[in-house]
Each structure stands twice: as C-alpha cells, then as structure tokens.
Amino acid sequence: MPLVVQKFGGTSLGDAERVRAVADHVARTRRQGNDVVVVVSAMGRTTDDLIRLAGDVSVVQPPRELDMLLTSGERVSMAVLCMALAELGVDAVSFTGSQAGIITDTTHTRAKILEVRGDRLREALGARRVPVVAGFQGVSTDHDVTTLGRGGSDTTAVALAAALGADLCEIYTDVTGVFSADPRIVPTARRLGRVSFEEMLDIAASGGRVLALRSVEFARNHHVPLHVRSSFTWEPGTWVVEEEPSMEQAVVTAVTHDTSEAKVTVVRVPDTPGLAARLFRALADANANVDMIVQNISVHGTTDISFTVPRVDLPASLQVCEDLAQEIGAGEVLADDAIAKVSLVGAGMRSHPGISATMFETLATHGINIEMISTSTIRITCVVRAERVEDAVQALHRAFELDV
Ligand code: ADP
Ligand code: ASP
Ligand code: MG
C-alpha cells in the first residue's frame, strides 16, 4: 500500500473547524487506499504566542526551557487531531517527536536531526493505525526535548518520509503552492507547477518560508518527492522534484525576501592575515549563523568587515565582535537591524549575463539603495532598507515579467 506523509501547518489547524477539515482529508486519503502518517504544527499562531509569553515572563530564557515551552504547541494539535479522527472512526495515535524516535543533537532551539528510529510509527502502521506526530521537535542525545528551528515541522515531515520510505510527502499550507514571490506581497505572483530541488533550496534559503530550508535539503538528499499544496482548496499545488533535462529553465523563477536578519559592521580591522579567521571562528563558536559577508578594500592598513546574521543571533554576535575588536585594536562595532534581503532565484541565470545589471537598474529606478550584494550561480541577493523591501520585491517581479 502506498505510504503518504501529510504535514499540516499552523493556519491549516487554526481552529476546531479546521482540525475537523484536516481529519476529514486524512480519512479520505486512507479510504483511497493509502497508509498515512500525519505531521502537525502548533495551531494558528500558538508558537508566536508562546514566544511572547516567555518574553513577558523573563528576559532570561534558558534554551532548554524555551524548547520545553514551544513543543507544547504541537502536542495540543496532535491530541485534538486524533480526537477528530476518532470521531470519524479512524484509529489514530499521537506521538511526540521523542516518541516517534526523532533523535537530534543538543543544540536547543535549532537542533539538527541525527537519526529517525521510527519503530513505534512502523508498529502503528502495521496495526492499521494512523500515527499523528508532533512536528518541529525531537529528543537530544542527552535525552532533553529539542526544537528544530522555526518552520521545523516541514523538516519533521520530510525526515519521517525518508526514514519510513514513503512514496510522497505532502506539505499542506495556506497558499496553493510555491509562487514566483510571496503572494501576500505580490498578489499577481504565479504558482509554479514544478520547481527543482536546486531552485527550491535557494528560494527557501533566501526567505521563501513556504518550506523550511532543512526540509528541502533533506528531501533532495533522500530523494523524497514533495508536493506543496493548500489545505483550504485541496487543489494540486507545486511539485518539488529532481531536475529533468526537459525542464524549462526560466531565467528568473522567483523573487524572494527576508526580513529576519541584521547587519553587523566591525570598523577599522587591522589588515593582517588571520583576523577574519579569528572573527568568524569566534562567531561560529557562539553558534551565530553568519550569512552574507563583505570586506572592503583596506585604506591605511585597516578594513571594514560587515556581515549579516539572523536577528536572534545579534546580541551574541555583538558581544563576540566587541570582545575581539578590543583584543585586536579594531574600531567600533555597529549594529543595524533595519535591513532586509531581496533576491532573484533562477537556474537559467547561469547562462544569462546581465541579470544583475537589470536588477540593480530596477532598484535604482525606484530609489532603493543597495547596501550589500552576494551572488551564487543561480541567485543574486541585495541588502536594502527593510522599509523598502516590499517595493523592491514588487518592482523586480514586474521587471522580470513574472506576473500571471
Ligand atoms: P505553515 O504554517 O503552513 O507552515 P508558513 O507561514 O510557514 O505556513 O508558510 C506559508 C507562507 O509562506 C504563505 O502564507 C506565504 O505568505 C509565505 N511565502 C513566502 N514566500 C512564498 C512563496 N514564494 N510562495 C508561496 N508562499 C510564500
Ligand atoms: N510551530 C513551529 C513554528 O511556528 C513549527 C512549524 O510551524 O513548522 O515555527
Ligand atoms: Mg511553515
């Protein structure tokens, strides 16, 4: 019997009626002759609410306790979904990440999955029951509850699909698939029928949060076919697939944006070998997830180094930079949390010169200043002021004729 992993995001489980609609769909998938494993996120904005609660209670939030708090959201979802399934006569059984055998490293709030044991899920399937697994969580090699980072339920779903040898992993969300830009910002964005893992990786990495980056990495490495679709309309959505020779390679496939990072600049770093290495080693040791890096040419024997990090890593990064700046005799350390990234992604960019020029011209025409630039073979990213990022996305979407 084919095995399908179905993951339902927060809005898909926003209230009791939505939970019942999801149960209905799971029951129907079973009746159609599939085995189903369900992965759930926390209902609605529960995770945001819990983060806010933690902030209201204390400025000191030990990561272990934060994980204990946040994993409670997914527990609620799995229990109520099993109840809704029971009412439909479907024998369902809930599992926390730990019970499902998702073993992670010990990095609280952004743990990596090391192993999926999955024996209890296989047993449940063998007994014709539907396992409903709490997404976004696991248990560490130290036996503590961990979370996988925001959006981590996608990763749970793909990891389970890989471990159980599922035929398909369906990601149900509140849009009808992966679009050429966030449809909330560009209402005329186009739904992509198929997108390659390669492009989807860059879309996810540059802010297209419809799929968590790790879930795409996992799916590509383990050859798990992914189908991103709507739990509101249930219509076919976007297939994320291995690249096929016949696949049309659009020059630009999507315009993405990301408002979750901040910029740090260390001024007047002495221009001697080894200092950049020391800085970025210290940042890595502090678990700061450095993204873009720019070093300017040196004037009078010193150079400015700027980089971006997730905003949550800003305090730790500043501490590291200030300590090192003192030690090596660099100048001040500047923080800027009003930046955003806008990116173009497209496999066809490889063989088309002039895309960056058009991107920069478009931003210039709209009076949007570029503060940092980085490129890969299939992506160009610019850092701009956060307040202008939506204008930038809309202008680029138009300039590259991506509208429907
Ligand atoms: P879920 O709770 O189902 O995991 P998310 O909020 O994590 O949902 O992801 C879905 C959201 O991703 C959409 O509502 C949409 O606003 C946003 N999004 C950003 N970029 C894209 C894109 N390129 N295509 C589709 N959705 C996108
Ligand atoms: N509930 C978690 C979050 O909001 C995980 C997820 O939705 O995938 O990030
Ligand atoms: Mg999500």
Side-chain angles (χ1 to χ4, degrees):
M1 199 178 290
L3 173 63
V4 184
V5 174
Q6 297 187 322
K7 177 258 168 175
F8 296 91
T11 30
S12 303
L13 296 162
D15 55 27
E17 196 183 321
R18 295 292 317 154
V19 173
R20 283 196 295 269
V22 165
D24 242 2
H25 185 72
V26 172
R28 190 168 342 120
T29 311
R30 274 262 292 205
R31 281 199 303 276
Q32 287 164 349
N34 302 286
D35 271 332
V36 186
V37 172
V38 181
V39 174
V40 289
S41 293
M43 290 174 71
R45 298 185 180 282
T46 303
T47 308
D48 292 328
D49 293 343
L50 291 171
I51 290 172
R52 206 167 308 118
L53 170 65
D56 289 345
V57 168
S58 170
V59 284
V60 183
Q61 295 163 13
R64 179 186 184 278
E65 305 313 326
L66 198 56
D67 276 353
M68 200 58 105
L69 176 69
L70 296 191
T71 50
S72 66
E74 272 69 13
R75 267 185 184 240
V76 172
S77 300
M78 67 177 187
V80 293
L81 181 58
C82 283
M83 291 174 194
L85 283 164
E87 190 170 278
L88 297 175
V90 176
D91 191 5
V93 55
S94 63
F95 294 98
T96 62
S98 165
Q99 290 173 322
I102 295 172
I103 315 298
T104 73
D105 65 14
T106 55
T107 317
H108 282 289
T109 76
R110 61 174 85 159
K112 284 210 170 75
I113 296 178
L114 301 176
E115 188 191 344
V116 178
R117 298 211 175 118
D119 306 339
R120 293 187 70 178
L121 304 186
R122 281 187 205 95
E123 258 171 50
L125 287 168
R128 296 287 300 133
R129 307 179 88 187
V130 174
V132 177
V133 181
F136 170 60
Q137 54 179 269
V139 63
S140 75
T141 44
D142 285 348
H143 312 290
D144 278 321
V145 171
T146 49
T147 62
L148 308 177
R150 295 307 303 268
S153 298
D154 298 335
T155 312
T156 305
V158 178
L160 289 180
L164 300 171
D167 298 275
L168 174 62
C169 182
E170 294 183 320
I171 305 286
Y172 287 91
T173 184
D174 57 358
V175 286
T176 56
V178 180
F179 282 72
S180 54
D182 186 340
R184 285 176 208 280
I185 289 179
V186 184
T188 50
R190 193 176 350 156
R191 179 165 56 79
L192 310 172
R194 291 159 88 75
V195 63
S196 65
F197 280 120
E198 187 192 26
E199 286 181 315
M200 195 62 229
L201 275 174
D202 267 299
I203 292 173
S206 60
R209 71 168 198 277
V210 62
L211 283 177
L213 176 59
R214 289 235 194 97
S215 74
V216 187
E217 286 171 348
F218 226 102
R220 184 192 54 178
N221 294 345
H222 295 86
H223 310 283
V224 178
L226 281 181
H227 187 189
V228 182
R229 52 192 300 198
S230 162
S231 69
F232 290 79
T233 65
W234 308 106
E235 67 194 283
T238 301
W239 285 88
V240 188
V241 292
E242 317 267 347
E243 195 138 3
E244 300 153 17
S246 62
M247 217 154 143
E248 188 193 341
Q249 294 210 325
V251 178
V252 174
T253 301
V255 183
T256 57
H257 70 288
D258 185 349
T259 53
S260 67
E261 294 190 354
K263 182 170 78 169
V264 178
T265 303
V266 187
V267 185
R268 293 190 305 282
V269 178
D271 198 8
T272 40
L275 288 191
R278 271 174 72 184
L279 175 63
F280 290 101
R281 169 58 59 207
L283 286 163
D285 289 345
N287 259 319
N289 227 332
V290 175
D291 179 19
M292 290 168 79
I293 303 174
V294 169
Q295 177 177 324
N296 297 312
I297 57 158
S298 83
V299 181
H300 308 309
T302 66
T303 174
D304 297 347
I305 298 180
S306 295
F307 61 89
T308 66
V309 280
R311 214 171 291 151
V312 290
D313 292 347
L314 184 59
S317 305
L318 284 176
Q319 190 64 56
V320 165
C321 290
E322 276 157 10
D323 292 351
L324 193 77
Q326 265 210 332
E327 222 177 289
I328 63 178
E332 57 270 41
V333 178
L334 311 172
D336 182 352
D337 63 0
I339 59 145
K341 297 190 304 181
V342 58
S343 307
L344 299 180
V345 177
M349 269 191 227
R350 246 189 225 111
S351 47
H352 279 78
I355 305 298
S356 333
T358 308
M359 181 180 194
F360 303 159
E361 282 158 10
T362 305
L363 294 176
T365 309
H366 288 77
I368 298 168
N369 190 41
I370 301 170
E371 302 181 22
M372 288 168 99
I373 300 167
S374 86
T375 60
S376 77
T377 47
I378 67 160
R379 180 179 49 79
I380 309 169
T381 300
C382 294
V383 168
V384 299
R385 285 291 95 200
E387 67 201 22
R388 296 304 310 277
V389 74
E390 295 197 4
D391 298 337
V393 173
Q394 287 157 357
L396 291 167
H397 199 268
R398 255 194 321 274
F400 287 93
E401 298 174 352
L402 296 174
D403 293 359
V404 271

